[in-house]
Amino acid sequence: MPDIAVYPGTFDPITNGHLDIIDRASKHVATVIVAVSQNPSKAPLFSLEERVSIVEESVSPIKNVEVDSFEGLLVDYCMRRSARLVVKGLRAVSDFEYEMQMAQMNLRLADVDTLFMVANPSFSFLSSSIVKEVARFGGSIEGLVPAEAARRLKEKLDGEA
Ligand code: COA
């Protein structure tokens, strides 16, 4: 069993699809580090600190999960944490091409391997953006995001109104 696997993402906010991957990955490795990317290119709704704290609250029932944040290249972060394995979820075939490109680049850059886990079909239509859009227009996001993410989304969107 590998010691550490890094599960990276923007998590703006974390969804139940992410949580499902984290939970399942935690059964295969000693420690899963959920690494929240600064990712200014996505202009996130939540600040880095907010995203980290929502993830922390959401993963708290899973014992062998740690939450951290990073800037810059994922492989540099992996090296700093002595991690040689990245976990990514695949929701559909359309995810595959881009994910494979990133995985191959990470392998070439630093010999960091990627373990792909297929998304639970109940969540394969989910993305953080679609959740934000539904919430912004008043639709129900029940069952799609952890309770803390739903609470913080409501707070943030009410504050915008
Ligand atoms: N369930 C639900 N949603 C999921 C999901 C799952 N299992 N897996 C992915 N998603 C969603 C994400 O929420 C995200 O939604 P959004 O676009 O609406 O925000 C979307 O699918 C894309 O996810 P992902 O491909 O994981 O992108 P990301 O933006 O969350 O994270 C990084 C991308 C941070 C992992 C990547 O850009 C990175 O490694 N950056 C560091 C810089 C670097 O090293 N670059 C070179 C790589 S070779």
Side-chain angles (χ1 to χ4, degrees), residues 40-106:
S41 63
K42 277 201 162 177
L45 175 67
F46 291 100
S47 71
L48 181 63
E49 293 70 26
E50 288 171 325
R51 284 177 280 140
V52 166
S53 83
I54 298 168
V55 174
E56 277 172 345
E57 181 69 29
S58 307
V59 302
S60 61
I62 316 171
K63 289 295 158 252
N64 54 333
V65 175
E66 190 189 311
V67 184
D68 197 2
S69 60
F70 74 103
E71 267 185 271
L73 282 181
L74 175 62
V75 290
D76 289 339
Y77 174 75
C78 289
M79 290 300 105
R80 286 199 296 280
R81 299 302 311 263
S82 307
R84 304 294 295 274
L85 189 66
V86 165
V87 171
K88 295 286 306 215
L90 291 178
R91 292 165 299 170
V93 177
S94 50
D95 280 344
F96 183 73
E97 206 170 325
Y98 180 59
E99 290 296 343
M100 190 169 86
Q101 192 182 16
M102 284 206 291
Q104 288 174 331
M105 181 58 90
N106 290 337

Side-chain angles (χ1 to χ4, degrees), residues 7-21 35-39 41-42 70-76 88-91 95 98-99 101-106 109 117 119-120 123-130 132:
Y7 181 56
T10 311
F11 303 113
D12 186 44
I14 186 171
T15 70
N16 284 344
H18 296 125
L19 205 52
D20 176 60
I21 300 281
V36 183
S37 166
Q38 176 96 30
N39 218 343
S41 63
K42 277 201 162 177
F70 74 103
E71 267 185 271
L73 282 181
L74 175 62
V75 290
D76 289 339
K88 295 286 306 215
L90 291 178
R91 292 165 299 170
D95 280 344
Y98 180 59
E99 290 296 343
Q101 192 182 16
M102 284 206 291
Q104 288 174 331
M105 181 58 90
N106 290 337
L109 285 172
M117 297 186 72
N120 185 319
F123 301 124
S124 59
F125 62 95
L126 260 186
S127 72
S128 300
S129 302
I130 207 164
K132 285 181 283 190

